Amino acid sequence: GVAYDGAWDGGIRKGTGVEYWPGEGQKRQFEGEFLNDERHGHGREYGADGAKVIFEGQFQSDEKHGHGREYQSDGVPAIVGGPCRGDA
């Protein structure tokens, strides 16, 4: 499964933390805020390499929600704005 390093509250992810892709090495998958064990608030989603940001913005209930910025594989912003919801 996904590894997590960050704040906990009663066994539930809450506050700032980092999720890592399962498997080889510690490659970031998501870095940001959590609430009730879900991505919630501002955060950055990373590609499979764990280095390139593919989305930065707001999350709610584990989904992109609100204002954010999508990035192309070369790091150039592809979409800027909002609101976005789900996999927008």
PDB file of all heavy atoms in Angstrom, residues 35-73:
ATOM      1  N   LEU A  35      -7.236  15.454   6.194  1.00  0.00           N
ATOM      2  CA  LEU A  35      -8.298  15.556   7.187  1.00  0.00           C
ATOM      3  C   LEU A  35      -9.114  14.277   7.100  1.00  0.00           C
ATOM      4  O   LEU A  35      -9.481  13.848   5.994  1.00  0.00           O
ATOM      5  CB  LEU A  35      -9.187  16.774   6.914  1.00  0.00           C
ATOM      6  CG  LEU A  35     -10.339  17.004   7.883  1.00  0.00           C
ATOM      7  CD1 LEU A  35      -9.814  17.334   9.281  1.00  0.00           C
ATOM      8  CD2 LEU A  35     -11.231  18.135   7.387  1.00  0.00           C
ATOM      9  N   ASN A  36      -9.407  13.657   8.230  1.00  0.00           N
ATOM     10  CA  ASN A  36     -10.177  12.410   8.268  1.00  0.00           C
ATOM     11  C   ASN A  36      -9.588  11.337   7.357  1.00  0.00           C
ATOM     12  O   ASN A  36     -10.315  10.641   6.649  1.00  0.00           O
ATOM     13  CB  ASN A  36     -11.646  12.665   7.910  1.00  0.00           C
ATOM     14  CG  ASN A  36     -12.329  13.545   8.932  1.00  0.00           C
ATOM     15  OD1 ASN A  36     -12.030  13.479  10.124  1.00  0.00           O
ATOM     16  ND2 ASN A  36     -13.224  14.398   8.473  1.00  0.00           N
ATOM     17  N   ASP A  37      -8.255  11.241   7.320  1.00  0.00           N
ATOM     18  CA  ASP A  37      -7.532  10.213   6.579  1.00  0.00           C
ATOM     19  C   ASP A  37      -7.606  10.405   5.057  1.00  0.00           C
ATOM     20  O   ASP A  37      -7.355   9.478   4.299  1.00  0.00           O
ATOM     21  CB  ASP A  37      -8.030   8.812   6.959  1.00  0.00           C
ATOM     22  CG  ASP A  37      -6.919   7.779   6.931  1.00  0.00           C
ATOM     23  OD1 ASP A  37      -5.763   8.140   7.208  1.00  0.00           O
ATOM     24  OD2 ASP A  37      -7.195   6.616   6.619  1.00  0.00           O
ATOM     25  N   GLU A  38      -7.970  11.626   4.598  1.00  0.00           N
ATOM     26  CA  GLU A  38      -8.072  11.920   3.170  1.00  0.00           C
ATOM     27  C   GLU A  38      -7.319  13.204   2.837  1.00  0.00           C
ATOM     28  O   GLU A  38      -7.131  14.065   3.704  1.00  0.00           O
ATOM     29  CB  GLU A  38      -9.534  12.100   2.753  1.00  0.00           C
ATOM     30  CG  GLU A  38     -10.376  10.876   2.952  1.00  0.00           C
ATOM     31  CD  GLU A  38     -11.821  11.102   2.561  1.00  0.00           C
ATOM     32  OE1 GLU A  38     -12.363  12.198   2.829  1.00  0.00           O
ATOM     33  OE2 GLU A  38     -12.412  10.181   1.995  1.00  0.00           O
ATOM     34  N   ARG A  39      -6.915  13.345   1.567  1.00  0.00           N
ATOM     35  CA  ARG A  39      -6.321  14.591   1.098  1.00  0.00           C
ATOM     36  C   ARG A  39      -7.389  15.671   1.218  1.00  0.00           C
ATOM     37  O   ARG A  39      -8.504  15.520   0.721  1.00  0.00           O
ATOM     38  CB  ARG A  39      -5.903  14.463  -0.370  1.00  0.00           C
ATOM     39  CG  ARG A  39      -4.882  13.397  -0.609  1.00  0.00           C
ATOM     40  CD  ARG A  39      -4.703  13.179  -2.085  1.00  0.00           C
ATOM     41  NE  ARG A  39      -3.732  12.106  -2.325  1.00  0.00           N
ATOM     42  CZ  ARG A  39      -3.254  11.817  -3.514  1.00  0.00           C
ATOM     43  NH1 ARG A  39      -3.634  12.487  -4.583  1.00  0.00           N
ATOM     44  NH2 ARG A  39      -2.378  10.849  -3.651  1.00  0.00           N
ATOM     45  N   HIS A  40      -7.037  16.751   1.897  1.00  0.00           N
ATOM     46  CA  HIS A  40      -8.039  17.791   2.140  1.00  0.00           C
ATOM     47  C   HIS A  40      -7.315  19.096   2.457  1.00  0.00           C
ATOM     48  O   HIS A  40      -6.579  19.172   3.433  1.00  0.00           O
ATOM     49  CB  HIS A  40      -8.948  17.392   3.310  1.00  0.00           C
ATOM     50  CG  HIS A  40     -10.177  18.228   3.410  1.00  0.00           C
ATOM     51  ND1 HIS A  40     -11.362  17.840   2.834  1.00  0.00           N
ATOM     52  CD2 HIS A  40     -10.395  19.416   3.996  1.00  0.00           C
ATOM     53  CE1 HIS A  40     -12.280  18.773   3.076  1.00  0.00           C
ATOM     54  NE2 HIS A  40     -11.710  19.742   3.784  1.00  0.00           N
ATOM     55  N   GLY A  41      -7.503  20.107   1.615  1.00  0.00           N
ATOM     56  CA  GLY A  41      -6.803  21.381   1.761  1.00  0.00           C
ATOM     57  C   GLY A  41      -5.804  21.530   0.628  1.00  0.00           C
ATOM     58  O   GLY A  41      -5.938  20.922  -0.430  1.00  0.00           O
ATOM     59  N   HIS A  42      -4.778  22.327   0.838  1.00  0.00           N
ATOM     60  CA  HIS A  42      -3.779  22.571  -0.210  1.00  0.00           C
ATOM     61  C   HIS A  42      -2.792  21.411  -0.297  1.00  0.00           C
ATOM     62  O   HIS A  42      -2.363  20.875   0.714  1.00  0.00           O
ATOM     63  CB  HIS A  42      -3.012  23.861   0.064  1.00  0.00           C
ATOM     64  CG  HIS A  42      -2.067  24.218  -1.029  1.00  0.00           C
ATOM     65  ND1 HIS A  42      -0.747  23.874  -1.000  1.00  0.00           N
ATOM     66  CD2 HIS A  42      -2.268  24.848  -2.210  1.00  0.00           C
ATOM     67  CE1 HIS A  42      -0.156  24.292  -2.113  1.00  0.00           C
ATOM     68  NE2 HIS A  42      -1.064  24.883  -2.861  1.00  0.00           N
ATOM     69  N   GLY A  43      -2.435  21.051  -1.549  1.00  0.00           N
ATOM     70  CA  GLY A  43      -1.460  19.984  -1.708  1.00  0.00           C
ATOM     71  C   GLY A  43      -0.864  19.940  -3.096  1.00  0.00           C
ATOM     72  O   GLY A  43      -1.315  20.630  -4.013  1.00  0.00           O
ATOM     73  N   ARG A  44       0.175  19.105  -3.239  1.00  0.00           N
ATOM     74  CA  ARG A  44       0.852  18.880  -4.518  1.00  0.00           C
ATOM     75  C   ARG A  44       0.819  17.394  -4.832  1.00  0.00           C
ATOM     76  O   ARG A  44       1.204  16.583  -3.993  1.00  0.00           O
ATOM     77  CB  ARG A  44       2.306  19.325  -4.452  1.00  0.00           C
ATOM     78  CG  ARG A  44       2.495  20.793  -4.329  1.00  0.00           C
ATOM     79  CD  ARG A  44       3.993  21.138  -4.307  1.00  0.00           C
ATOM     80  NE  ARG A  44       4.188  22.499  -3.873  1.00  0.00           N
ATOM     81  CZ  ARG A  44       4.409  22.872  -2.623  1.00  0.00           C
ATOM     82  NH1 ARG A  44       4.508  21.970  -1.677  1.00  0.00           N
ATOM     83  NH2 ARG A  44       4.561  24.140  -2.321  1.00  0.00           N
ATOM     84  N   GLU A  45       0.378  17.064  -6.036  1.00  0.00           N
ATOM     85  CA  GLU A  45       0.372  15.684  -6.500  1.00  0.00           C
ATOM     86  C   GLU A  45       1.561  15.505  -7.437  1.00  0.00           C
ATOM     87  O   GLU A  45       1.823  16.362  -8.276  1.00  0.00           O
ATOM     88  CB  GLU A  45      -0.941  15.437  -7.243  1.00  0.00           C
ATOM     89  CG  GLU A  45      -1.280  14.018  -7.492  1.00  0.00           C
ATOM     90  CD  GLU A  45      -2.688  13.892  -8.051  1.00  0.00           C
ATOM     91  OE1 GLU A  45      -3.025  14.589  -9.026  1.00  0.00           O
ATOM     92  OE2 GLU A  45      -3.435  13.095  -7.495  1.00  0.00           O
ATOM     93  N   TYR A  46       2.283  14.396  -7.294  1.00  0.00           N
ATOM     94  CA  TYR A  46       3.502  14.151  -8.061  1.00  0.00           C
ATOM     95  C   TYR A  46       3.310  13.008  -9.039  1.00  0.00           C
ATOM     96  O   TYR A  46       2.516  12.096  -8.794  1.00  0.00           O
ATOM     97  CB  TYR A  46       4.661  13.808  -7.115  1.00  0.00           C
ATOM     98  CG  TYR A  46       5.087  14.964  -6.252  1.00  0.00           C
ATOM     99  CD1 TYR A  46       4.428  15.254  -5.078  1.00  0.00           C
ATOM    100  CD2 TYR A  46       6.138  15.782  -6.637  1.00  0.00           C
ATOM    101  CE1 TYR A  46       4.803  16.331  -4.288  1.00  0.00           C
ATOM    102  CE2 TYR A  46       6.528  16.853  -5.848  1.00  0.00           C
ATOM    103  CZ  TYR A  46       5.854  17.123  -4.689  1.00  0.00           C
ATOM    104  OH  TYR A  46       6.224  18.193  -3.909  1.00  0.00           O
ATOM    105  N   GLY A  47       4.082  13.039 -10.127  1.00  0.00           N
ATOM    106  CA  GLY A  47       4.082  11.946 -11.094  1.00  0.00           C
ATOM    107  C   GLY A  47       4.788  10.730 -10.526  1.00  0.00           C
ATOM    108  O   GLY A  47       5.332  10.752  -9.416  1.00  0.00           O
ATOM    109  N   ALA A  48       4.803   9.651 -11.304  1.00  0.00           N
ATOM    110  CA  ALA A  48       5.374   8.381 -10.847  1.00  0.00           C
ATOM    111  C   ALA A  48       6.855   8.476 -10.496  1.00  0.00           C
ATOM    112  O   ALA A  48       7.359   7.675  -9.717  1.00  0.00           O
ATOM    113  CB  ALA A  48       5.160   7.302 -11.901  1.00  0.00           C
ATOM    114  N   ASP A  49       7.560   9.491 -11.042  1.00  0.00           N
ATOM    115  CA  ASP A  49       8.982   9.650 -10.714  1.00  0.00           C
ATOM    116  C   ASP A  49       9.185  10.254  -9.323  1.00  0.00           C
ATOM    117  O   ASP A  49      10.280  10.256  -8.791  1.00  0.00           O
ATOM    118  CB  ASP A  49       9.709  10.479 -11.768  1.00  0.00           C
ATOM    119  CG  ASP A  49       9.252  11.936 -11.810  1.00  0.00           C
ATOM    120  OD1 ASP A  49       8.341  12.322 -11.043  1.00  0.00           O
ATOM    121  OD2 ASP A  49       9.800  12.688 -12.625  1.00  0.00           O
ATOM    122  N   GLY A  50       8.114  10.790  -8.742  1.00  0.00           N
ATOM    123  CA  GLY A  50       8.183  11.377  -7.413  1.00  0.00           C
ATOM    124  C   GLY A  50       8.852  12.732  -7.363  1.00  0.00           C
ATOM    125  O   GLY A  50       9.036  13.301  -6.300  1.00  0.00           O
ATOM    126  N   ALA A  51       9.234  13.282  -8.517  1.00  0.00           N
ATOM    127  CA  ALA A  51       9.945  14.557  -8.542  1.00  0.00           C
ATOM    128  C   ALA A  51       9.130  15.673  -9.206  1.00  0.00           C
ATOM    129  O   ALA A  51       9.188  16.816  -8.778  1.00  0.00           O
ATOM    130  CB  ALA A  51      11.273  14.395  -9.278  1.00  0.00           C
ATOM    131  N   LYS A  52       8.383  15.341 -10.240  1.00  0.00           N
ATOM    132  CA  LYS A  52       7.651  16.363 -10.997  1.00  0.00           C
ATOM    133  C   LYS A  52       6.245  16.547 -10.454  1.00  0.00           C
ATOM    134  O   LYS A  52       5.491  15.592 -10.295  1.00  0.00           O
ATOM    135  CB  LYS A  52       7.571  15.969 -12.468  1.00  0.00           C
ATOM    136  CG  LYS A  52       8.904  15.994 -13.159  1.00  0.00           C
ATOM    137  CD  LYS A  52       8.759  15.614 -14.609  1.00  0.00           C
ATOM    138  CE  LYS A  52      10.140  15.551 -15.247  1.00  0.00           C
ATOM    139  NZ  LYS A  52      10.153  14.716 -16.429  1.00  0.00           N
ATOM    140  N   VAL A  53       5.909  17.813 -10.170  1.00  0.00           N
ATOM    141  CA  VAL A  53       4.560  18.152  -9.727  1.00  0.00           C
ATOM    142  C   VAL A  53       3.643  18.077 -10.943  1.00  0.00           C
ATOM    143  O   VAL A  53       3.937  18.669 -11.982  1.00  0.00           O
ATOM    144  CB  VAL A  53       4.521  19.559  -9.105  1.00  0.00           C
ATOM    145  CG1 VAL A  53       3.099  19.954  -8.755  1.00  0.00           C
ATOM    146  CG2 VAL A  53       5.407  19.644  -7.876  1.00  0.00           C
ATOM    147  N   ILE A  54       2.523  17.328 -10.830  1.00  0.00           N
ATOM    148  CA  ILE A  54       1.571  17.273 -11.932  1.00  0.00           C
ATOM    149  C   ILE A  54       0.302  18.054 -11.609  1.00  0.00           C
ATOM    150  O   ILE A  54      -0.451  18.408 -12.491  1.00  0.00           O
ATOM    151  CB  ILE A  54       1.234  15.822 -12.338  1.00  0.00           C
ATOM    152  CG1 ILE A  54       0.675  15.031 -11.163  1.00  0.00           C
ATOM    153  CG2 ILE A  54       2.463  15.130 -12.922  1.00  0.00           C
ATOM    154  CD1 ILE A  54       0.160  13.644 -11.543  1.00  0.00           C
ATOM    155  N   PHE A  55       0.079  18.347 -10.323  1.00  0.00           N
ATOM    156  CA  PHE A  55      -1.049  19.184  -9.919  1.00  0.00           C
ATOM    157  C   PHE A  55      -0.708  19.848  -8.596  1.00  0.00           C
ATOM    158  O   PHE A  55      -0.164  19.220  -7.694  1.00  0.00           O
ATOM    159  CB  PHE A  55      -2.336  18.361  -9.745  1.00  0.00           C
ATOM    160  CG  PHE A  55      -3.503  19.179  -9.270  1.00  0.00           C
ATOM    161  CD1 PHE A  55      -4.233  19.954 -10.159  1.00  0.00           C
ATOM    162  CD2 PHE A  55      -3.851  19.201  -7.934  1.00  0.00           C
ATOM    163  CE1 PHE A  55      -5.303  20.729  -9.713  1.00  0.00           C
ATOM    164  CE2 PHE A  55      -4.916  19.971  -7.479  1.00  0.00           C
ATOM    165  CZ  PHE A  55      -5.646  20.728  -8.378  1.00  0.00           C
ATOM    166  N   GLU A  56      -1.056  21.118  -8.506  1.00  0.00           N
ATOM    167  CA  GLU A  56      -0.922  21.836  -7.239  1.00  0.00           C
ATOM    168  C   GLU A  56      -2.180  22.643  -7.040  1.00  0.00           C
ATOM    169  O   GLU A  56      -2.599  23.382  -7.932  1.00  0.00           O
ATOM    170  CB  GLU A  56       0.289  22.761  -7.241  1.00  0.00           C
ATOM    171  CG  GLU A  56       0.435  23.510  -5.933  1.00  0.00           C
ATOM    172  CD  GLU A  56       1.703  24.342  -5.847  1.00  0.00           C
ATOM    173  OE1 GLU A  56       2.418  24.457  -6.847  1.00  0.00           O
ATOM    174  OE2 GLU A  56       1.953  24.876  -4.752  1.00  0.00           O
ATOM    175  N   GLY A  57      -2.817  22.461  -5.897  1.00  0.00           N
ATOM    176  CA  GLY A  57      -4.049  23.200  -5.629  1.00  0.00           C
ATOM    177  C   GLY A  57      -4.815  22.614  -4.465  1.00  0.00           C
ATOM    178  O   GLY A  57      -4.246  22.010  -3.560  1.00  0.00           O
ATOM    179  N   GLN A  58      -6.121  22.784  -4.523  1.00  0.00           N
ATOM    180  CA  GLN A  58      -7.001  22.397  -3.433  1.00  0.00           C
ATOM    181  C   GLN A  58      -7.574  20.993  -3.617  1.00  0.00           C
ATOM    182  O   GLN A  58      -7.863  20.568  -4.739  1.00  0.00           O
ATOM    183  CB  GLN A  58      -8.161  23.395  -3.327  1.00  0.00           C
ATOM    184  CG  GLN A  58      -7.714  24.796  -2.990  1.00  0.00           C
ATOM    185  CD  GLN A  58      -7.024  24.860  -1.644  1.00  0.00           C
ATOM    186  OE1 GLN A  58      -7.524  24.366  -0.640  1.00  0.00           O
ATOM    187  NE2 GLN A  58      -5.852  25.476  -1.604  1.00  0.00           N
ATOM    188  N   PHE A  59      -7.711  20.292  -2.502  1.00  0.00           N
ATOM    189  CA  PHE A  59      -8.301  18.956  -2.468  1.00  0.00           C
ATOM    190  C   PHE A  59      -9.406  18.949  -1.420  1.00  0.00           C
ATOM    191  O   PHE A  59      -9.340  19.668  -0.424  1.00  0.00           O
ATOM    192  CB  PHE A  59      -7.250  17.911  -2.073  1.00  0.00           C
ATOM    193  CG  PHE A  59      -6.235  17.644  -3.135  1.00  0.00           C
ATOM    194  CD1 PHE A  59      -5.168  18.515  -3.327  1.00  0.00           C
ATOM    195  CD2 PHE A  59      -6.345  16.536  -3.947  1.00  0.00           C
ATOM    196  CE1 PHE A  59      -4.221  18.271  -4.310  1.00  0.00           C
ATOM    197  CE2 PHE A  59      -5.406  16.283  -4.937  1.00  0.00           C
ATOM    198  CZ  PHE A  59      -4.351  17.154  -5.115  1.00  0.00           C
ATOM    199  N   GLN A  60     -10.409  18.137  -1.671  1.00  0.00           N
ATOM    200  CA  GLN A  60     -11.475  17.930  -0.697  1.00  0.00           C
ATOM    201  C   GLN A  60     -11.910  16.476  -0.797  1.00  0.00           C
ATOM    202  O   GLN A  60     -12.163  15.980  -1.895  1.00  0.00           O
ATOM    203  CB  GLN A  60     -12.665  18.847  -0.980  1.00  0.00           C
ATOM    204  CG  GLN A  60     -13.795  18.683   0.008  1.00  0.00           C
ATOM    205  CD  GLN A  60     -14.922  19.657  -0.258  1.00  0.00           C
ATOM    206  OE1 GLN A  60     -14.684  20.803  -0.625  1.00  0.00           O
ATOM    207  NE2 GLN A  60     -16.143  19.217  -0.086  1.00  0.00           N
ATOM    208  N   SER A  61     -11.985  15.804   0.333  1.00  0.00           N
ATOM    209  CA  SER A  61     -12.402  14.397   0.375  1.00  0.00           C
ATOM    210  C   SER A  61     -11.629  13.534  -0.617  1.00  0.00           C
ATOM    211  O   SER A  61     -12.200  12.750  -1.366  1.00  0.00           O
ATOM    212  CB  SER A  61     -13.910  14.282   0.120  1.00  0.00           C
ATOM    213  OG  SER A  61     -14.618  15.006   1.100  1.00  0.00           O
ATOM    214  N   ASP A  62     -10.309  13.728  -0.671  1.00  0.00           N
ATOM    215  CA  ASP A  62      -9.391  12.916  -1.481  1.00  0.00           C
ATOM    216  C   ASP A  62      -9.453  13.214  -2.986  1.00  0.00           C
ATOM    217  O   ASP A  62      -8.887  12.472  -3.775  1.00  0.00           O
ATOM    218  CB  ASP A  62      -9.619  11.421  -1.243  1.00  0.00           C
ATOM    219  CG  ASP A  62      -8.362  10.705  -0.774  1.00  0.00           C
ATOM    220  OD1 ASP A  62      -7.389  11.388  -0.421  1.00  0.00           O
ATOM    221  OD2 ASP A  62      -8.350   9.477  -0.766  1.00  0.00           O
ATOM    222  N   GLU A  63     -10.145  14.277  -3.407  1.00  0.00           N
ATOM    223  CA  GLU A  63     -10.234  14.632  -4.822  1.00  0.00           C
ATOM    224  C   GLU A  63      -9.828  16.081  -5.029  1.00  0.00           C
ATOM    225  O   GLU A  63      -9.966  16.913  -4.132  1.00  0.00           O
ATOM    226  CB  GLU A  63     -11.659  14.447  -5.342  1.00  0.00           C
ATOM    227  CG  GLU A  63     -12.123  13.017  -5.355  1.00  0.00           C
ATOM    228  CD  GLU A  63     -13.478  12.855  -6.024  1.00  0.00           C
ATOM    229  OE1 GLU A  63     -14.107  13.881  -6.387  1.00  0.00           O
ATOM    230  OE2 GLU A  63     -13.906  11.710  -6.192  1.00  0.00           O
ATOM    231  N   LYS A  64      -9.350  16.403  -6.244  1.00  0.00           N
ATOM    232  CA  LYS A  64      -9.063  17.788  -6.602  1.00  0.00           C
ATOM    233  C   LYS A  64     -10.370  18.553  -6.501  1.00  0.00           C
ATOM    234  O   LYS A  64     -11.412  18.087  -6.957  1.00  0.00           O
ATOM    235  CB  LYS A  64      -8.528  17.865  -8.034  1.00  0.00           C
ATOM    236  CG  LYS A  64      -7.234  17.112  -8.219  1.00  0.00           C
ATOM    237  CD  LYS A  64      -6.879  17.022  -9.689  1.00  0.00           C
ATOM    238  CE  LYS A  64      -5.713  16.068  -9.854  1.00  0.00           C
ATOM    239  NZ  LYS A  64      -5.504  15.695 -11.249  1.00  0.00           N
ATOM    240  N   HIS A  65     -10.301  19.718  -5.875  1.00  0.00           N
ATOM    241  CA  HIS A  65     -11.537  20.474  -5.653  1.00  0.00           C
ATOM    242  C   HIS A  65     -11.183  21.931  -5.395  1.00  0.00           C
ATOM    243  O   HIS A  65     -10.474  22.242  -4.450  1.00  0.00           O
ATOM    244  CB  HIS A  65     -12.291  19.902  -4.448  1.00  0.00           C
ATOM    245  CG  HIS A  65     -13.594  20.575  -4.198  1.00  0.00           C
ATOM    246  ND1 HIS A  65     -14.742  20.212  -4.847  1.00  0.00           N
ATOM    247  CD2 HIS A  65     -13.916  21.593  -3.390  1.00  0.00           C
ATOM    248  CE1 HIS A  65     -15.738  20.983  -4.437  1.00  0.00           C
ATOM    249  NE2 HIS A  65     -15.253  21.830  -3.549  1.00  0.00           N
ATOM    250  N   GLY A  66     -11.673  22.824  -6.224  1.00  0.00           N
ATOM    251  CA  GLY A  66     -11.382  24.241  -6.057  1.00  0.00           C
ATOM    252  C   GLY A  66     -10.313  24.676  -7.038  1.00  0.00           C
ATOM    253  O   GLY A  66     -10.163  24.102  -8.107  1.00  0.00           O
ATOM    254  N   HIS A  67      -9.571  25.687  -6.683  1.00  0.00           N
ATOM    255  CA  HIS A  67      -8.555  26.235  -7.578  1.00  0.00           C
ATOM    256  C   HIS A  67      -7.303  25.367  -7.587  1.00  0.00           C
ATOM    257  O   HIS A  67      -6.914  24.828  -6.571  1.00  0.00           O
ATOM    258  CB  HIS A  67      -8.201  27.671  -7.178  1.00  0.00           C
ATOM    259  CG  HIS A  67      -9.334  28.613  -7.423  1.00  0.00           C
ATOM    260  ND1 HIS A  67      -9.594  29.141  -8.659  1.00  0.00           N
ATOM    261  CD2 HIS A  67     -10.283  29.084  -6.597  1.00  0.00           C
ATOM    262  CE1 HIS A  67     -10.662  29.908  -8.580  1.00  0.00           C
ATOM    263  NE2 HIS A  67     -11.103  29.892  -7.335  1.00  0.00           N
ATOM    264  N   GLY A  68      -6.696  25.269  -8.776  1.00  0.00           N
ATOM    265  CA  GLY A  68      -5.482  24.486  -8.884  1.00  0.00           C
ATOM    266  C   GLY A  68      -4.789  24.710 -10.211  1.00  0.00           C
ATOM    267  O   GLY A  68      -5.268  25.447 -11.070  1.00  0.00           O
ATOM    268  N   ARG A  69      -3.672  24.041 -10.368  1.00  0.00           N
ATOM    269  CA  ARG A  69      -2.855  24.173 -11.574  1.00  0.00           C
ATOM    270  C   ARG A  69      -2.355  22.793 -11.985  1.00  0.00           C
ATOM    271  O   ARG A  69      -1.720  22.110 -11.198  1.00  0.00           O
ATOM    272  CB  ARG A  69      -1.680  25.098 -11.286  1.00  0.00           C
ATOM    273  CG  ARG A  69      -0.725  25.257 -12.439  1.00  0.00           C
ATOM    274  CD  ARG A  69       0.338  26.260 -12.116  1.00  0.00           C
ATOM    275  NE  ARG A  69      -0.294  27.574 -12.103  1.00  0.00           N
ATOM    276  CZ  ARG A  69       0.301  28.693 -11.743  1.00  0.00           C
ATOM    277  NH1 ARG A  69       1.552  28.668 -11.338  1.00  0.00           N
ATOM    278  NH2 ARG A  69      -0.334  29.837 -11.771  1.00  0.00           N
ATOM    279  N   GLU A  70      -2.681  22.384 -13.217  1.00  0.00           N
ATOM    280  CA  GLU A  70      -2.182  21.133 -13.797  1.00  0.00           C
ATOM    281  C   GLU A  70      -0.887  21.448 -14.524  1.00  0.00           C
ATOM    282  O   GLU A  70      -0.739  22.525 -15.105  1.00  0.00           O
ATOM    283  CB  GLU A  70      -3.178  20.563 -14.809  1.00  0.00           C
ATOM    284  CG  GLU A  70      -4.515  20.195 -14.214  1.00  0.00           C
ATOM    285  CD  GLU A  70      -4.587  18.763 -13.735  1.00  0.00           C
ATOM    286  OE1 GLU A  70      -3.637  18.006 -13.954  1.00  0.00           O
ATOM    287  OE2 GLU A  70      -5.613  18.414 -13.137  1.00  0.00           O
ATOM    288  N   TYR A  71       0.051  20.499 -14.525  1.00  0.00           N
ATOM    289  CA  TYR A  71       1.330  20.683 -15.205  1.00  0.00           C
ATOM    290  C   TYR A  71       1.542  19.596 -16.250  1.00  0.00           C
ATOM    291  O   TYR A  71       1.187  18.439 -16.030  1.00  0.00           O
ATOM    292  CB  TYR A  71       2.495  20.627 -14.208  1.00  0.00           C
ATOM    293  CG  TYR A  71       2.520  21.792 -13.266  1.00  0.00           C
ATOM    294  CD1 TYR A  71       1.852  21.735 -12.052  1.00  0.00           C
ATOM    295  CD2 TYR A  71       3.201  22.953 -13.584  1.00  0.00           C
ATOM    296  CE1 TYR A  71       1.864  22.806 -11.176  1.00  0.00           C
ATOM    297  CE2 TYR A  71       3.227  24.033 -12.707  1.00  0.00           C
ATOM    298  CZ  TYR A  71       2.549  23.947 -11.512  1.00  0.00           C
ATOM    299  OH  TYR A  71       2.569  25.014 -10.641  1.00  0.00           O
ATOM    300  N   GLN A  72       2.174  19.967 -17.366  1.00  0.00           N
ATOM    301  CA  GLN A  72       2.573  19.008 -18.384  1.00  0.00           C
ATOM    302  C   GLN A  72       3.827  18.284 -17.905  1.00  0.00           C
ATOM    303  O   GLN A  72       4.462  18.688 -16.933  1.00  0.00           O
ATOM    304  CB  GLN A  72       2.871  19.734 -19.696  1.00  0.00           C
ATOM    305  CG  GLN A  72       1.681  20.491 -20.253  1.00  0.00           C
ATOM    306  CD  GLN A  72       2.042  21.266 -21.502  1.00  0.00           C
ATOM    307  OE1 GLN A  72       2.668  20.734 -22.399  1.00  0.00           O
ATOM    308  NE2 GLN A  72       1.660  22.529 -21.536  1.00  0.00           N
ATOM    309  N   SER A  73       4.224  17.232 -18.618  1.00  0.00           N
ATOM    310  CA  SER A  73       5.390  16.446 -18.207  1.00  0.00           C
ATOM    311  C   SER A  73       6.683  17.258 -18.203  1.00  0.00           C
ATOM    312  O   SER A  73       7.616  16.942 -17.486  1.00  0.00           O
ATOM    313  CB  SER A  73       5.553  15.226 -19.106  1.00  0.00           C
ATOM    314  OG  SER A  73       5.728  15.629 -20.443  1.00  0.00           O
TER     315      SER A  73
END
